[in-house]
């Protein structure tokens, strides 16, 4: 694509993410240009994700150092790419994937390969005189003008908090607006009103990993009891009303249950879910979601069932798939192979897109393309461990994906992505599009 890019230097180093754990940063140089990228890291990871290489040296950062991944970039990837010209992102990515030679990038680490891949996208855009979202749009053959509907995780549970709430993310979806900036403002105002409501109830307003509130609703430690999840939903609806917005026409709700985290196989080999003090089957979980959908303005449920529960997913899609968006995260792990399986089986109707689940920009774009061709929606997503890198903001616009999940209205690791989207909206001016509710249509 356009000018071949000659890489003059490639340098990796260890930097720190939003949870205080190390991650990989790579800087690439070409003539007087240079571009860097930092990879994120998940907590509720899917089993099928590409391997995030950690040192496991207990003497450094609780074993979570990434010096090996850094060394793989500096000693193995750099010698193979420095001095070479690349005309396309995919040629660089394919070369690294071949050099690694494993199914799941376990030799170099997906954190090593992805950092180089993302830095190259930035470098290439820069050299071509484009913004990153424009560079990604040319790679993707898309228009690159669609600002996403933000799915803002304003109440954190699961592995991102320690409040005993099983469901990991309670999101507000301000899709009933004409512009991204208006939708974002509405979401942020709801966040402030939720804070007031929690405060009045004497619940703590400290935040979880993704910047949403994370109070324990019941005293003591352990799992939240019957009805707690609905209490959270009702408080959020109250906050929407207090902020002066209409739930169900301007602002909707979404859940990421991340249910693999509270599921297990029972002695008959059936998947069971530990939920509010009971053991529920896939059908019972699906029935519960069905009831919630009828009672509350929920339009999207991610990982409602576990990553290995494909039969449960199939039945859930048949029951609920016409009414709402069913997003596969741990289920699909941004992997074209799993997405194809889902499409063939008629499982889910939406794919969560996380660069580091698959480990290269090229494969991420392929996952989005595959989903769109099958009429599945896509949601570009952060990880619970993030940094100041705002790549996903450009990716969601560049691919016209239409929806983004990048946390709440606090923590700079989350807000930095919203700020980048505001900059892109301003730069696009009258060309900027916001699909609003249509972003959820298939
Ligand atoms: P993770 O959470 O980054 O901890 O995997 C995000 C998600 O499950 O969507
Ligand atoms: Zn998820």
């Amino acid at each position: 694509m356009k000018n071949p890019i000659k890489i003059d230097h490639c340098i990796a180093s260890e930097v720190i993410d939003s949870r205080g754990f190390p991650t990989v940063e790579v800087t690439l140089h070409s003539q007087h240009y240079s571009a860097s990228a930092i990879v994120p890291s998940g907590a509720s990871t899917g089993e099928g994700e590409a391997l995030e290489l950690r040192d496991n040296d207990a003497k450094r950062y609780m074993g979570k150092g990434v010096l090996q991944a850094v060394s793989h970039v500096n000693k193995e990837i750099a010698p193979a790419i420095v001095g070479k010209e690349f005309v396309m992102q995919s040629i660089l990515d394919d070369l690294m994937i071949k050099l690694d030679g494993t199914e799941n990038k376990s030799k170099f680490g997906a954190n090593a390969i992805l950092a180089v891949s993302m830095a190259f996208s930035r470098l290439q855009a820069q050299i071509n005189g484009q913004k990153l979202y424009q560079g990604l749009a040319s790679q993707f053959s898309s228009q690159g003008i669609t600002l996403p509907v933000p799915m803002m995780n304003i109440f954190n549970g699961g592995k991102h908090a320690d409040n005993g709430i099983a469901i990991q993310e309670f999101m507000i979806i301000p899709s009933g607006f004409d512009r991204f900036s208006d939708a974002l403002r509405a979401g942020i105002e709801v966040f402030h009103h939720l804070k007031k409501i929690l405060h009045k109830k004497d619940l703590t307003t400290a935040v979880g990993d993704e910047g949403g509130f994370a109070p324990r609703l019941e005293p003591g430690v352990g799992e939240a009891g019957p009805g707690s999840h609905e209490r959270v939903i009702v408080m959020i609806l109250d906050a929407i009303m207090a902020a002066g917005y209409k739930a169900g026409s301007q602002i909707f709700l979404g859940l990421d249950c991340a249910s693999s985290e509270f599921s297990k196989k029972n002695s008959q080999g059936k998947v069971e879910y530990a939920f509010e003090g009971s053991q529920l089957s896939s059908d019972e979980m699906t029935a519960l979601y069905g009831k919630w959908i009828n009672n509350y303005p929920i339009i999207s449920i991610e990982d409602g069932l576990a990553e290995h529960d494909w039969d449960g997913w199939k039945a859930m899609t048949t029951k609920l798939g016409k009414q709402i968006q069913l997003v596969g995260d741990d289920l699909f792990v941004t992997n074209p192979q799993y997405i194809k399986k889902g499409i063939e089986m008629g499982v889910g109707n939406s794919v969560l897109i996380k660069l580091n689940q698959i480990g290269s920009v090229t494969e991420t774009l392929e996952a989005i393309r595959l989903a769109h061709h099958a009429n599945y929606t896509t949601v570009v997503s952060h990880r619970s461990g993030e940094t100041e890198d705002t790549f996903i903001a450009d990716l969601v616009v560049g691919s016209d994906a239409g929806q983004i999940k990048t946390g709440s209205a606090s923590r700079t690791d989350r807000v930095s992505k919203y700020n980048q989207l505001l900059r892109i909206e301003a730069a696009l001016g009258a060309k900027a599009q916001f699909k609003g509710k249509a972003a959820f249509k298939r």
Side-chain angles (χ1 to χ4, degrees):
M1 195 181 298
K2 295 190 180 167
N3 310 317
I5 313 280
K6 181 159 161 272
I7 297 176
D8 297 328
H9 297 285
C10 165
I11 305 142
S13 59
E14 197 178 53
V15 296
I16 309 304
D17 77 10
S18 59
R19 274 195 283 246
F21 291 122
T23 185
V24 181
E25 176 170 52
V26 163
T27 304
L28 296 177
H29 297 263
S30 180
Q31 306 160 48
H32 59 282
Y33 298 98
S34 79
S36 304
I38 314 177
V39 298
S41 172
S44 62
T45 47
E47 275 178 33
E49 294 193 18
L51 185 100
E52 178 185 81
L53 192 61
R54 296 277 177 193
D55 297 339
N56 295 319
D57 169 3
K59 291 198 284 305
R60 294 187 75 251
Y61 291 115
M62 335 295 280
K64 289 195 166 249
V66 290
L67 293 179
Q68 288 177 44
V70 163
S71 159
H72 287 147
V73 176
N74 291 335
K75 302 218 170 101
E76 292 172 79
I77 296 176
I81 65 172
V82 168
K84 293 222 173 80
E85 286 192 339
F86 296 92
V87 277
M88 280 198 282
Q89 174 96 45
S90 60
I91 297 177
L92 171 74
D93 289 346
D94 288 349
L95 174 70
M96 290 192 286
I97 291 164
K98 277 208 189 81
L99 279 175
D100 174 89
T102 66
E103 269 289 298
N104 61 349
K105 304 185 175 65
S106 53
K107 184 171 171 223
F108 293 158
N111 38 355
I113 294 173
L114 180 63
V116 178
S117 181
M118 287 162 65
F120 184 81
S121 296
R122 281 214 171 93
L123 184 71
Q124 185 181 43
Q126 226 185 89
I127 293 176
N128 289 332
Q130 294 175 308
K131 297 286 187 194
L132 178 57
Y133 68 92
Q134 295 169 322
L136 291 166
S138 354
Q139 271 197 59
F140 196 65
S141 310
S142 52
Q143 287 186 289
I145 53 170
T146 310
L147 271 295
V149 175
M151 304 175 75
M152 305 174 72
N153 178 11
I154 60 169
F155 195 103
N156 298 183
K159 272 208 162 173
H160 300 166
D162 53 8
N163 52 7
I165 295 286
I167 288 183
Q168 181 179 280
E169 303 173 16
F170 295 79
M171 292 171 277
I172 44 172
I173 306 177
S175 58
F177 295 84
D178 295 332
R179 289 157 53 88
F180 167 76
S181 44
D182 291 334
L184 181 67
R185 178 173 50 79
I188 293 174
E189 288 167 4
V190 173
F191 169 82
H192 290 301
H193 280 277
L194 181 58
K195 185 170 187 171
K196 273 195 187 171
I197 288 171
L198 294 171
H199 195 72
K200 269 200 204 130
K201 291 184 190 288
D202 255 341
L203 295 169
T204 172
T205 54
V207 297
D209 285 355
E210 297 191 346
F213 301 112
R216 180 171 286 286
L217 301 187
E218 286 133 18
V221 267
E223 211 178 307
S228 338
H229 290 84
E230 283 191 73
R231 272 180 69 199
V232 176
I233 294 173
V234 169
M235 283 193 291
I236 295 173
L237 292 173
D238 287 347
I240 294 173
M241 205 157 55
Y245 296 107
K246 289 191 192 72
S249 62
Q250 289 176 300
I251 304 186
F252 298 81
L253 303 182
L255 301 173
D256 177 5
C257 305
S259 67
S260 301
E261 301 296 333
F262 55 89
S263 74
K264 66 167 189 341
K265 275 211 171 129
N266 67 16
S267 50
Q268 286 105 54
K270 284 249 184 264
V271 187
E272 268 183 5
Y273 299 83
F275 194 77
E276 296 188 348
S278 306
Q279 293 295 324
L280 302 185
S281 67
S282 315
D283 286 348
E284 287 166 330
M285 285 302 290
T286 303
L288 180 72
Y289 298 141
K291 196 179 98 198
W292 286 359
I293 293 163
N294 288 334
N295 293 341
Y296 308 112
I298 295 171
I299 56 166
S300 180
I301 296 182
E302 177 181 330
D303 284 355
L305 296 175
E307 58 194 318
H308 297 302
D309 194 0
W310 283 81
D311 293 340
W313 259 98
K314 170 102 182 112
M316 176 173 71
T317 309
T318 310
K319 289 218 176 80
L320 309 177
K322 288 214 170 60
Q323 276 172 279
I324 61 159
Q325 175 171 272
L326 296 171
V327 190
D329 170 13
D330 290 355
L331 184 79
F332 294 139
V333 287
T334 317
N335 187 322
Q337 244 177 297
Y338 293 105
I339 299 169
K340 265 184 210 148
K341 177 177 167 185
I343 293 166
E344 275 158 24
M345 281 179 67
V347 160
N349 54 34
S350 179
V351 181
L352 200 77
I353 300 292
K354 289 168 167 168
L355 286 148
N356 79 325
Q357 281 185 324
I358 186 72
S360 75
V361 173
T362 303
E363 290 162 294
T364 304
L365 293 176
E366 191 190 329
I368 300 176
R369 200 172 283 126
L370 194 62
H372 288 180
H373 278 164
N375 232 1
Y376 277 44
T377 55
T378 50
V379 183
V380 171
S381 172
H382 62 166
R383 298 307 305 244
S384 50
E386 269 293 336
T387 69
E388 66 272 31
D389 192 299
T390 56
F391 196 97
I392 56 166
D394 286 78
L395 175 63
V396 75
V397 178
S399 61
D400 290 313
Q403 301 180 41
I404 195 168
K405 223 177 71 147
T406 187
S408 186
S410 78
R411 298 187 63 133
T412 308
D413 37 308
R414 313 297 142 184
V415 172
S416 56
K417 278 68 164 176
Y418 293 128
N419 285 342
Q420 176 70 355
L421 287 164
L422 289 172
R423 280 178 215 114
I424 296 174
E425 183 182 68
L428 283 169
K431 271 198 286 181
Q433 290 206 352
F434 183 69
K435 287 201 192 133
K437 291 178 197 172
F440 293 80
K441 293 226 167 69
R442 293 170 296 277

